[in-house]
Amino acid sequence: MLQDSKIFMLEADSPGARSALLNGWIEVGQERVRVVAEEVLEGPVRTIAFKRVDRPRPARIKALLVSLRAVSLTATALPGFAVLSLGLLSGLRAELGFFVLALLGTIFLQIGVNVLNDVEDHLKLIDLPGSSGGSQTIQRGWLSAYELRIVGYLSLAIGVGLGLPVLMRHWQILVPVRTVALIGSLGYSSKPLGLKYRALGDIAVFLMCGPLLTAGYSMATFSAVIPGVYHLGFFFGLLACGILHINNIQDIRIDTLSGARTLAAKLGFEKSRLLLTAFYVLAYLSLGVGVLQGVLHPAVLFSILAIPFFAKILSRSRVASGPDSPALNGLRVMAAQGHLIAGLTMLVALSLARYIASSP
Amino acid sequence: MPTPHQMILTQIENETGHIDFSIPESLSLPTVHYLLSRHLLDGGKKLRPYLCLCFGKMLGLPASQLEACARIAEIVHSASLAHDDVIDEARVRRGRRTLNASTSNAQAVLAGDLLLARSTSLCLDLGNMTLARDLADTLEELVAGEWLQLEARGNFEISERHLERVSLAKTASLLRWCFLAPLRLAGLNGEIEGLANELARLIGLSFQMSDDCVDYSRESGKEYGKDYSEGLLNWVSWTLVAWGQKPDPSKPHGWEDSKIHEAVEDVQARASMKLKLARECLEQIFLQAQIIGLSPVRQYQQNLFDLIGTLEKRSF
C-alpha cells in the first residue's frame, strides 16, 4: 500500500481495498482512519486512491435522512394520496388502514432500493465523490456502505412486511403488480436485466411510478381499480419518466461511448429533447382526457401550477448545445420539484373539492 | 545545485531543443508565417512534445517518427492558444503581445486555422489513418471544451462533472494524443492503450487543477482570480460553491482570501492524488510494455516521474 498521511493507494481486488470500500476506514497502525474512495486507475491492475476524511461528520440522523433521499419518496407517495383523494371525492369508502400499509410499504421499498443502489454503485466504483448519482453520503464519509446496506435491507424487509396484509387480501392482482414492480426496481440498472441499457428503462419507470402504482393503491384502498386511476397513473408515470429522461439525456455521450443503449442514447440529443416535451404534454393531456371523460374531477387540473417548472426545463434544454451543456445542470432536481408541485397542488385541490362537496 | 524545475527545463531542452517547430513558409501567406513564428511557435515550455517523445522513447520506439508527432502536438497547442487568446481577449502571452493584440481577432483566428491545417497535413504525411483519426477527434474535443466553457460563463451552478468534462476536453485530450501517437505508430493497442488514456486523463486533470490554483496565486504574475472575474468557475471556486459558500458580490474575488486558500489546498491535494495515480499508471505501462515484448527504457520513465514530481510540487 502506497500512502502518505492523507492518501492511500490500494489494489481494488485487495482485501484492504474491499474492506475500506465497505467500512469506510483503513487501519494505520493502531488507528482507524476514515477514508473515501476518491479516484480510480483503470488498468490491468485496478488501483483505488483513498483520501482521508478530515471534515467532521454531521449528526447521524441528518446523514441518514440525506441517504434516504426523502424528496424522491414523493414520487411514490403522492400518487397514493391522489388516488385516495379521488376515491373519497367519488364517494367511495376507503380502507384507510390498508392505504397506510400500502403507502408505508411502498415508501420503505423505495428507500430500500434507493439505498441499496447507492451501496452497489459505490462498491462498483461507479459513484465517486462529485458524481451526480446517489445521495453521496458514502462519498462524503458520512456513512459507510456497510451501515447503509443494513438500512437498505431493513427497509426492504419492512416494506415487504407492511405490504403483506394488503397483498394477501388481493393477491390475484397485487402479487403480479408487486412482482413486476420489484423486478423493475431491482433490474433497472443491474444485470442480468439491465432494463435501462436495453432502452426499456423509461417504460419500466413509467409503469412502476405510474399505472401499476396507482392501480395497486386503488386495489389496496378501495378493493377495486376505480375510474380515473389509470389516467392519474399516466400523469404521474410520465412525470417520473421526465426526471429519468433528463438524467439519461445528460449521459448520452458517455452511454453511447460505452455501448449502453438507453432510450436517450438511441434517439440522440435532438429527438430526446422532443421526447421530453412529449412526456410533459402527454401527462397533462391524460388529465384533460380524464376530466372530459368524467372519470377525473376537474380539480386535478390545478396541477397546471407546476407547468412553469416544466416550461423552464424545456426552455433550458432548448438552449443546451448538447448533452454536456451546463444549461442542463440542475434540470433533474427541477423536474423532481415539478413532480412534487404538480402532485401537491392536485392533492390540495382535490381535498378542497371534497371539503366543499361535503359541506352542508 | 539546479532546482527540480530547472532540471526539467534542461531535460525538455535536451529532448526538444533540436526539433524545428516552425512551419514551412506558405507561398500565398508569407506574412502569416512571420506572425506565427513571432507570436506562437517560438517560446513556450514544449511540454506536450516532451511528453510525446519521452513516452515513445520509454516504450523503446525510434525517435524519428516520434519527433514528427512532437511537432504536430506543439503546432496544435499553438493553434489552440491563438484561438484561446481571441476568446479570452488576452493581450499578453509568454511576455509578448498576443497575435490578436498585434493584428486583429480575425487574423488571429485564421492564423490558428492555418496551424491546424498544417498539423493535419503533417499527420497525414505519416501515413497512419488511425493516428489521423485520433488527431481529428482531438481537435473536436478541443472545440467541445472551449464551447462548453463558453456556455458556462456566468453560470455558478455548474456541476463537477461539467468541470471535469471541460478539463478533459481542453487539456487532457491533446495529452491523450501525445501518448496515443507513439502507440499508433508502433501498431499497439489493447491494455496499453487503455492505460495511456488513463495517464492522459490523470495528468490532464491535475494539470488543469494546478492551473486553476495558480489563478489564485499572487506570485504567479497573472491577474488574481481572473477566471472568476470573467464569470467562470474553476476547480478552486467550484470547490467553494460545493462547500455551500456562494460567491459574495461585495467581495472583489467572491470569497475571503482565507476561504480561497482552504479551497486551493483541497484542489492541490486532489491534483496530487491524481499525479500519484499517474505514477502508478506509468509503472503499469512499463510492465505492460515488457509483457508485449517491447524493450522499455527506464531512463525515460524516470524523466516522466521527474516531471510528475515537479507538477506535484506545483513548480511547473
Side-chain angles (χ1 to χ4, degrees), chain A residues 39 45 250-251 321 324-325, chain B residues 151 161 165 198 274 284:
Chain A
E39 179 70 71
V45 179
Q250 291 179 285
D251 287 343
S321 58
D324 293 327
S325 170
Chain B
E151 269 196 87
R161 181 169 145 163
R165 175 75 183 102
E198 279 289 276
K274 291 186 194 304
Q284 290 195 31

Side-chain angles (χ1 to χ4, degrees), chain A residues 41-47, chain B residues 191 194-195 198 284:
Chain A
L41 166 63
E42 299 287 353
V45 179
R46 207 177 184 209
T47 308
Chain B
E191 297 277 18
L195 285 167
E198 279 289 276
Q284 290 195 31

Side-chain angles (χ1 to χ4, degrees), chain A residues 5-81:
Chain A
S5 60
K6 286 194 174 190
I7 300 169
F8 306 88
M9 296 210 322
L10 298 169
E11 286 182 23
D13 289 333
S14 66
R18 285 202 289 262
S19 169
L21 279 176
L22 186 63
N23 298 308
W25 46 258
I26 285 176
E27 264 186 18
V28 180
Q30 306 288 351
E31 197 191 337
R32 275 184 183 177
V33 177
R34 276 174 58 220
V35 294
V36 291
E38 175 81 16
E39 179 70 71
V40 180
L41 166 63
E42 299 287 353
V45 179
R46 207 177 184 209
T47 308
I48 306 172
F50 290 92
K51 181 181 150 187
R52 193 179 76 193
V53 178
D54 289 324
R55 290 182 158 247
R57 277 197 266 221
R60 275 229 184 272
I61 194 77
K62 178 186 171 179
L64 203 57
L65 283 173
V66 172
S67 74
L68 302 185
R69 291 193 255 164
V71 172
S72 72
L73 300 178
T74 57
T76 43
L78 280 174
F81 281 108

